[in-house]
């Protein structure tokens, strides 16, 4: 199940919050093994590797040719173990794996937010944008800030993609624009930790004092090419969680005319499954009002079929291209940038604009 390899650190490359990129030479076990790799270490888990250190690597992502996760991962620096770090919490994430980590949940007794969250039972009408891909996050944020730059926007990260929030360079670049990040379920590394999406939403509202939240998985989603075999299907469950807690669900369907796969043309079949089959609570289902006519016809028909229970909301988005261009991070979805998949990013931005419009 795991391609274990020994390696030696040559040099450090770039570094961002929670992550350190390295050049590592590999001790080959098979002829096809690479001689050197780009590796990623999470110092909070394994310590900070130094040039010359022998490291234990997991090469699975490279063997599979994964785009988002195309790193060798440092599992341990066995000759120089990091110091123990005593955490006041008792919540374990990545449970019963070799790298299970102890974190402090925002609502447990030792947390400074315990008093704020112990009695928190609802979101007080807070709008929550739900999307199925991590790449939607910066676009939603841009749309919300273009409409209401004063709003405090929090990111609630689910565990369908990357588990460490540290993996996302996008999230690192967006930190100055966010009220904070809450990592839920098995994901970890946010400003606040929670045990599930429900408690994560409450932590965003009452712990980070958010006016608006965005829920989506981390980078590196899992898909099998079937309607149900996709980690982003959990977006429908997030809609239900928002409604159960008295929030305003805003669904951001995945819209594109650039994806060459027919199942993702117009409205992705994954969004139709998540919002049409899994989401039982009504949500505002947002599409741009100014899509190209041929695309608009296809999208409008697909989304109208989900209403009721949802409500189709058409939001102007053409002027949001400027806000997207001003973001401090690179926009990319499935290897396509803003110019290559404009409809996708403008659709996510339109959902952010609508959520900001209804925020109290």
């Amino acid at each position: 199940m795991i391609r274990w390899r020994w390696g030696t650190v040559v040099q450090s490359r770039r570094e961002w919050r929670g992550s350190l990129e390295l050049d590592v030479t590999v001790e080959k076990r098979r002829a096809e093994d690479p001689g050197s790799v780009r590796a990623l270490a999470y110092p909070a888990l394994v310590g900070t590797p130094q040039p010359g250190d022998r490291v234990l690597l997991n090469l699975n992502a490279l063997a599979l040719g994964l785009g988002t996760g195309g790193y060798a991962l440092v599992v341990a620096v066995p000759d120089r173990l990091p110091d123990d770090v005593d955490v006041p919490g008792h919540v374990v994430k990545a449970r019963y794996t070799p790298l299970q980590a102890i974190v402090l949940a925002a609502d447990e007794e030792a947390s400074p937010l315990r008093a704020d969250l112990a009695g928190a039972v609802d979101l007080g009408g807070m709008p929550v944008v739900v999307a199925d891909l991590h790449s939607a996050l910066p676009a939603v944020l841009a749309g919300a800030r273009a409409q209401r730059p004063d709003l405090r926007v929090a990111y609630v990260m689910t565990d369908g993609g990357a588990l460490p929030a540290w993996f996302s360079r996008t999230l690192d670049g967006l930190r100055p624009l966010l009220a904070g990040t809450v990592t839920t379920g098995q994901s970890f590394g946010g400003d606040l930790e929670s045990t599930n999406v429900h408690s994560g939403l409450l932590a965003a509202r009452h712990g980070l004092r958010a006016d608006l939240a965005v829920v989506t998985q981390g980078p590196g989603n899992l898909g099998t090419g079937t309607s149900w075999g996709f980690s982003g299907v959990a977006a429908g469950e997030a809609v239900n969680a928002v409604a159960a807690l008295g929030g305003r669900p805003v669904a951001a369907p995945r819209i594109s005319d650039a994806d060459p796969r027919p199942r993702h043309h117009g409205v992705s079949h994954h969004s139709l499954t998540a919002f049409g089959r899994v989401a039982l609570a009504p949500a505002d289902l947002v599409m741009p009002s100014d899509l190209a006519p041929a695309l608009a016809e296809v999208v409008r028909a697909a989304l109208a079929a989900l209403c009721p229970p949802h409500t189709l909301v058409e939001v102007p988005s053409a002027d949001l291209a400027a806000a997207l261009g001003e973001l401090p991070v690179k926009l990319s979805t499935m290897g396509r940038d803003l110019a290559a998949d404009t409809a996708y990013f403008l659709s996510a931005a339109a959902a952010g604009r609508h959520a900001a419009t209804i925020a109290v």
Side-chain angles (χ1 to χ4, degrees), residues 100-348:
Q100 62 181 3
I102 299 173
V103 300
L104 175 68
D107 56 355
E108 63 176 306
E109 291 182 357
S111 169
L113 294 174
R114 170 72 173 191
D116 296 310
L117 296 177
V121 295
D122 68 77
L123 300 176
M126 180 180 71
V128 180
V129 180
V130 180
D132 63 9
L133 289 178
H134 187 69
S135 57
L137 171 62
V140 172
L141 181 60
R145 287 177 56 83
Q147 187 69 25
R148 293 272 305 276
D150 60 308
L151 292 180
R152 290 178 58 82
V153 181
Y155 172 42
V156 178
M157 178 175 149
T158 65
D159 56 11
L163 296 186
W166 309 314
F167 183 74
S168 175
R169 293 197 299 273
T170 293
L171 183 55
D172 182 60
L174 293 176
R175 281 177 59 81
L177 306 182
L178 289 167
T181 295
V182 185
T183 35
T184 73
Q186 295 288 346
S187 68
F188 55 90
D191 300 289
L192 298 179
E193 303 281 358
S194 71
T195 56
N196 54 51
V197 173
H198 296 75
S199 61
L201 287 165
L202 292 170
R205 178 62 163 172
H206 301 284
L208 296 176
R209 308 298 179 189
D211 304 303
L212 186 157
V214 183
V215 176
T216 187
Q217 61 184 327
N221 69 92
L222 173 64
T224 62
T226 63
S227 295
W228 288 98
F230 173 58
S231 52
V233 165
E237 297 170 350
V239 167
N240 297 334
V242 175
L245 292 171
R248 289 282 304 272
V250 176
R254 181 176 166 188
I255 296 170
S256 175
D257 58 357
D259 198 307
R261 297 166 293 180
R263 66 183 184 270
H264 294 305
H265 183 80
V267 182
S268 168
H269 71 133
H270 288 144
S271 291
L272 296 176
T273 299
F275 300 130
R277 301 288 299 280
V278 181
L280 303 178
D284 289 347
L285 199 57
V286 178
M287 66 171 282
S289 62
D290 37 27
L291 291 173
L295 178 60
E297 182 179 0
V298 171
V299 169
R300 191 174 292 113
L303 296 182
L306 308 186
C307 304
H310 304 311
T311 300
L312 181 57
V313 180
E314 299 196 27
V315 176
S317 68
D319 62 314
L320 293 176
L324 290 169
E326 293 171 358
L327 284 167
V329 298
K330 177 184 177 183
L331 293 172
S332 179
T333 184
M334 303 296 169
R336 298 185 296 273
D337 62 12
L338 175 60
D341 205 343
T342 305
Y344 171 79
F345 292 108
L346 285 180
S347 297

Side-chain angles (χ1 to χ4, degrees), residues 46-63:
V46 302
T48 304
Q50 302 293 332
D53 280 344
R54 193 177 192 221
V55 292
L56 180 61
L57 302 172
N58 178 339
L59 261 58
N60 274 352
L62 293 177

